[in-house]
Amino acid sequence: MTDQERELAWLLERPDMDVCTGLDPVGWPASVWVLHAMYENPRLHKPGTYEDLKRRRLTAGAEPAMIGDVNMDEMTIDVGIPLGYTSNPGPGWSRLTWADYLAREGRTLTGPHLTPPGYRWFPSGSWPLSIQPPPEGSMDLASFEALISAIASFEATGRDMECFAFMAGLPTGMDPQDLYHLWKGRLGTLPTLLERNDYDYRFTPTNWWSADRTWFVLTDYDLQATKVSGPERLITRVRNDPLLETVDWTEPQQECAPSSVR
């Protein structure tokens, strides 16, 4: 057994682990969800939605997206949600919190929400062009760096803390059973995985955790938030970080239907 297989064994021996989208073990005292950042440009309120933009491009002569003989542009709606990591779009754009955006729609961050933080928390349909929605399957770079800093401030060795990083099958674009996208290194060097030449990663790591397994991070391929699990003191530190927007979400307990007695 290789070192990589040995380190993953404690995760993969669990029957509910998904190597395609992300590994989500339980057992830590506390957890919190870091919401991926979105941005807004007020000057772009009138141009419409991402779907409107797609239709304008097609009308202007752009080639449609084809898979074989199937015109995907006719069958799908461009909702505008980025798949993979994003950064601040630049001048004119500013951070927009989930709480503020949901309030505009008459919703709240605390829900109730039946699913983890993702597209179901927002109105359905295409997003307005004035907003860069939170990315799916990856942290945005600002939140990624802020979370690394928050965890480093908790560890005695700081950014030199030894940790592992794992890329699930779908984010790698490789065979989902290729389990060798696992790296061992220092916490502060995690961003360099996005700069590798041997793999074109467009996602922050699916999972990363300390070598002593004190804490564990999950960014599921299908979600727009990242789950951080660990000791209460660490989770409190993440919650209170001014650069991170977080929410405490736990899966709602299903109520059992009352039984009938005859």
Side-chain angles (χ1 to χ4, degrees):
M1 180 181 289
T2 66
D3 290 343
Q4 292 171 321
E5 290 172 321
R6 188 174 297 107
E7 180 55 35
L8 282 174
W10 70 283
L11 290 169
L12 301 180
E13 66 188 8
R14 305 171 187 231
D16 58 343
M17 294 295 95
D18 190 338
V19 297
C20 294
T21 61
L23 307 172
D24 188 18
V26 296
W28 287 270
S31 65
V32 70
W33 289 84
V34 175
L35 306 176
H36 301 167
M38 71 174 89
Y39 294 89
E40 181 175 34
N41 188 335
R43 294 178 297 179
L44 299 178
H45 272 305
K46 292 184 179 179
T49 67
Y50 286 88
E51 176 65 12
D52 293 334
L53 178 61
K54 183 187 79 175
R55 293 299 169 188
R56 289 198 294 267
R57 287 174 174 169
L58 291 172
T59 300
E63 291 293 327
M66 304 292 294
I67 297 181
D69 295 329
V70 179
N71 186 332
M72 298 304 296
D73 283 325
E74 290 182 350
M75 299 182 62
T76 61
I77 294 176
D78 185 351
V79 295
I81 297 175
L83 182 61
Y85 65 82
T86 61
S87 58
N88 188 316
W93 294 81
S94 58
R95 180 80 176 264
L96 174 63
T97 65
W98 286 43
D100 286 344
Y101 183 75
L102 289 172
R104 297 177 187 176
E105 303 294 332
R107 308 184 183 202
T108 66
L109 193 59
T110 54
H113 298 288
L114 301 180
T115 58
Y119 72 92
R120 289 186 178 88
W121 286 36
F122 300 104
S124 60
S126 184
W127 283 69
L129 285 168
S130 58
I131 295 177
Q132 177 179 283
E136 193 171 75
S138 172
M139 299 193 79
D140 60 282
L141 295 187
S143 298
F144 186 41
E145 292 171 355
L147 181 56
I148 290 173
S149 295
I151 293 176
S153 70
F154 171 79
E155 292 288 358
T157 52
R159 289 177 173 267
D160 288 331
M161 174 72 187
E162 189 178 74
C163 68
F164 290 89
F166 171 70
M167 298 293 288
L170 285 174
T172 63
M174 305 292 285
D175 183 340
Q177 299 306 314
D178 178 6
L179 304 181
Y180 297 100
H181 292 260
L182 176 73
W183 282 267
K184 181 179 181 180
R186 296 179 179 180
L187 177 62
T189 64
L190 280 178
T192 63
L193 289 178
L194 303 177
E195 303 167 1
R196 295 179 66 95
N197 294 323
D198 49 351
Y199 289 104
D200 182 21
Y201 288 144
R202 297 185 300 108
F203 299 79
T204 55
T206 308
N207 297 110
W208 35 294
W209 61 93
S210 57
D212 62 5
R213 302 174 190 168
T214 299
W215 48 264
F216 190 89
V217 178
L218 160 69
T219 304
D220 190 280
Y221 183 79
D222 295 321
L223 299 178
Q224 292 171 279
T226 290
K227 182 181 179 183
V228 185
S229 302
E232 289 280 2
R233 288 192 304 112
L234 170 61
I235 300 307
T236 298
R237 188 163 301 189
V238 172
R239 268 195 208 103
N240 294 335
D241 192 293
L243 299 179
L244 297 172
E245 185 181 14
T246 64
V247 67
D248 293 310
W249 181 88
T250 55
E251 187 170 0
Q253 298 294 318
Q254 294 185 354
E255 295 184 3
C256 295
S259 59
S260 58
V261 178
R262 295 185 180 181

